[in-house]
Amino acid sequence: MKNVAVIGSGTMGNGIAHVFAQKGYKVALIDISQSALDKGVATITKNLDRMIAKEKISEADKSATLGNITTFTDMKEGVKDVQLVVEAATENVDLKLKIFRDLSEATSDDVILASNTSSISITQIAAVTNRPDKVIGMHFMNPVPVMKLVEIIRGYSTSDEVTNLIMETSKKLGKVPVEVNDYPGFVANRILMPMINEAIITLHEGVAGVEEIDTVMKLGMAHPMGPLQLADFIGLDVCLAIMNVLYEGFGNPKYAPCPLLVNMVTAGKRGVKSGEGFYSWTHGTKDLIVSDNFKK
Ligand SMILES: NC(=O)c1ccc[n+]([C@@H]2O[C@H](COP(=O)([O-])OP(=O)(O)OC[C@H]3O[C@@H](n4cnc5c(N)ncnc54)[C@H](O)[C@@H]3O)[C@@H](O)[C@H]2O)c1
């Protein structure tokens, strides 16, 4: 496997393109938006410069990495001659099903189709293609160049051969792959999101304030950041969408999203990306200032 296409040049897509290109794969980075592609390449360049400053790579590594990436706004053009596609487009079921239907037509039968989805069923995505045995989840973590884990999700029909190949490919990227089966939230979000939701319920019930909850989890459980701060980073809309996947997927009330989370998303308070969530981010992401709504 030498040629890879990455669909979506946002937060995750540019990171995925970066790690493949740095390991010598030829990468076609595809997005419907030219400005997203430009921003993606600018982010990769900035991250490579940071690695040079830390003396982790040389200038030559940087040019080789950037030289391995070609951008496309036309998906059919971009996926010509690739052996693997990693889809990292916006988290929306209908959009992903359309992309996989199109990929099924645009690529030959032996091309492996992977998705970086955080929560959508790989089995459902695979079912719209002509090769469900070659569809698999490759769930990278953010920021991709830094985080070691790749959660490898086997859909109902994913073959052993494809799973093994993707496990090996992830290792070649310097990552640690972990194989899991396709059930709502996989493993990462099935455990993480209910913890975040429970932190929001704890706040909603007035058990403790924002800083107190985050401090308990940081200093008591050695988490690098508290669950409410993490929710702001992930995006409260994303947290809500994943809780709904768990709630609907298992039909179990223990996964019901906290009404406070629902209210905040409805009010447009989505965390860092909207400037406010549990904390106020209008001053940047360095200092933690509790949002006025949660000040005592
Ligand atoms: N952000 C995270 O922390 C994180 C972590 C793990 C997995 N994920 C998953 O990764 C995927 C991407 O998330 P993101 O945070 O990078 O989103 P993002 O919004 O930053 O980027 C999505 C990109 O997809 C592009 N896009 C939309 N439709 C497209 C199409 N038809 N063809 C090509 N490109 C298209 C958009 O223009 C945008 O540039 C989602 O499935 C998400 O669940 C995200």
Side-chain angles (χ1 to χ4, degrees):
M1 193 186 286
K2 269 320 259 168
N3 301 331
V4 173
V6 177
I7 299 188
S9 178
T11 312
M12 297 304 288
N14 76 62
I16 296 167
H18 174 154
V19 295
F20 273 103
Q22 202 178 324
K23 293 291 176 184
Y25 292 84
K26 295 280 175 209
V27 180
L29 181 57
I30 304 167
D31 203 293
I32 39 166
S33 147
Q34 183 61 49
S35 74
L37 288 170
D38 295 342
K39 215 172 135 201
V41 173
T43 303
I44 296 169
T45 308
K46 194 180 73 196
N47 288 337
L48 289 166
D49 283 336
R50 198 174 291 152
M51 292 169 100
I52 293 174
K54 288 185 183 164
E55 295 183 355
K56 286 187 174 165
I57 61 166
S58 65
E59 279 288 349
D61 296 329
K62 174 186 164 185
S63 356
T65 302
L66 291 173
N68 281 337
I69 301 172
T70 313
T71 59
F72 295 87
T73 47
D74 180 348
M75 188 176 84
K76 275 193 189 144
E77 200 53 38
V79 298
K80 259 190 209 165
D81 307 324
V82 303
Q83 293 91 43
L84 168 68
V85 180
V86 183
E87 172 276 322
T90 315
E91 185 80 343
N92 173 297
V93 182
D94 294 335
L95 173 73
K96 293 214 192 266
L97 296 183
K98 166 145 184 26
I99 290 174
F100 277 81
R101 255 184 231 112
D102 292 347
L103 283 173
S104 194
E105 276 181 23
T107 59
S108 64
D109 292 358
D110 53 343
V111 174
I112 297 175
L113 305 177
S115 176
N116 184 52
T117 178
S118 309
S119 62
I120 296 167
S121 160
I122 298 300
T123 306
Q124 186 185 4
I125 291 174
V128 302
T129 72
N130 58 4
R131 68 199 83 153
D133 59 315
K134 295 192 183 68
V135 177
I136 192 160
M138 236 182 148
H139 186 202
F140 289 87
M141 304 290 134
N142 186 19
V144 183
V146 177
M147 298 292 279
K148 282 277 175 207
L149 178 70
V150 189
E151 198 179 22
I152 304 294
I153 302 114
R154 287 186 74 131
Y156 191 87
S157 310
T158 312
S159 71
D160 288 343
E161 194 193 345
V162 166
T163 306
N164 293 338
L165 186 59
I166 293 302
M167 294 285 286
E168 285 313 309
T169 304
S170 304
K171 287 180 196 160
K172 282 187 191 149
L173 297 178
K175 302 294 182 195
V176 177
V178 174
E179 185 185 325
V180 312
N181 288 323
D182 182 27
Y183 286 93
F186 317 133
V187 170
N189 282 318
R190 180 169 177 170
I191 297 173
L192 176 67
M193 280 305 157
M195 185 195 72
I196 287 176
N197 195 47
E198 199 61 35
I200 302 171
I201 295 170
T202 309
L203 176 71
H204 187 50
E205 290 178 354
V207 179
V210 170
E211 279 171 306
E212 288 75 12
I213 291 168
D214 276 357
T215 303
V216 166
M217 297 306 285
K218 266 192 295 189
L219 301 187
M221 317 301 155
H223 289 193
M225 70 173 76
L228 299 174
Q229 184 188 353
L230 181 56
D232 274 4
F233 272 105
I234 294 171
L236 300 192
D237 50 335
V238 175
C239 294
L240 176 59
I242 296 173
M243 282 313 295
N244 278 327
V245 166
L246 295 175
Y247 187 41
E248 286 156 22
F250 290 113
N252 184 333
K254 80 172 176 177
Y255 296 113
C258 177
L260 173 59
L261 173 63
V262 176
N263 243 356
M264 289 175 76
V265 174
T266 308
K269 310 293 181 194
R270 295 181 296 140
V272 175
K273 61 185 155 191
S274 73
E276 192 185 325
F278 298 103
Y279 296 90
S280 169
W281 299 100
T282 43
H283 53 285
T285 53
K286 288 244 171 346
D287 309 306
L288 285 184
I289 298 172
V290 173
S291 149
D292 283 344
N293 279 306
F294 298 107
K295 282 195 178 138
K296 293 196 187 100

